Amino acid sequence: MPLLPRSPLPRLGLYVAAGAIAALTATSPALAAADPVKPPAERAESAQSAKSAQRAQSQSSHLYKGRVIAKPRLLLRDKPTRSSRVIGSKPYGAIVHIFCKTRGDNVHGNNRWYLLTDGTWAWGSAHYIANIGAAPRWC
């Protein structure tokens, strides 16, 4: 009798249960350290504001944007070098999301390269990307 492939559902259930236990373990010290003097409504408000601050901090790396100024398109590479493999492209005028910047090969006097997070993690020369807002952080 041939063996049938096993379903991944039991393994998925195990991962979900382990994640739930890990989440409860991580939040237990915070619940124990809650200020017993504050009413529950005030504790909920302070917890909510702490979550908002944490969410804003984690998203701050995704706030950097730029516009492609390379005509007809910007080539995206797997390393911040001109000789690295081309893994994609972005058309002129496209808005890209920048994770960070680093130094790499010099492109027309500019040695900065941006790590882009659009669909795939790829490098684009900063010479061909105009910043929208603040300059990206260093990698």
Side-chain angles (χ1 to χ4, degrees):
M1 181 158 113
L3 294 175
L4 297 175
R6 290 181 53 174
S7 172
L9 292 179
R11 188 174 293 169
L12 178 63
L14 179 64
Y15 292 152
V16 170
I21 290 171
L24 287 174
T25 303
T27 58
S28 294
L31 293 175
D35 188 357
V37 177
K38 284 186 180 179
E42 285 183 31
R43 280 188 292 211
E45 286 175 12
S46 63
Q48 188 67 21
S49 64
K51 285 181 184 178
S52 297
Q54 187 178 26
R55 190 178 313 118
Q57 184 180 13
S58 69
Q59 291 175 349
S60 66
S61 61
H62 299 290
L63 295 179
Y64 305 115
K65 291 183 182 179
R67 182 181 311 277
V68 174
I69 57 174
K71 291 186 180 180
R73 69 189 148 280
L74 170 68
L75 297 178
L76 304 178
R77 300 183 178 272
D78 65 348
K79 297 176 186 166
T81 63
R82 295 177 71 176
S83 61
S84 62
R85 186 170 57 103
V86 174
I87 58 175
S89 65
K90 289 288 182 181
Y92 173 80
I95 303 296
V96 292
H97 294 87
I98 303 167
F99 184 72
C100 63
K101 65 183 173 185
T102 193
R103 290 183 180 90
D105 280 359
N106 194 325
V107 178
H108 300 290
N110 188 340
N111 70 347
R112 303 247 168 90
W113 288 72
Y114 293 153
L115 181 58
L116 308 179
T117 61
D118 300 314
T120 182
W121 292 77
W123 294 95
S125 171
H127 178 75
Y128 297 114
I129 301 172
N131 291 334
I132 299 173
R137 66 182 179 88
W138 289 96
C139 296

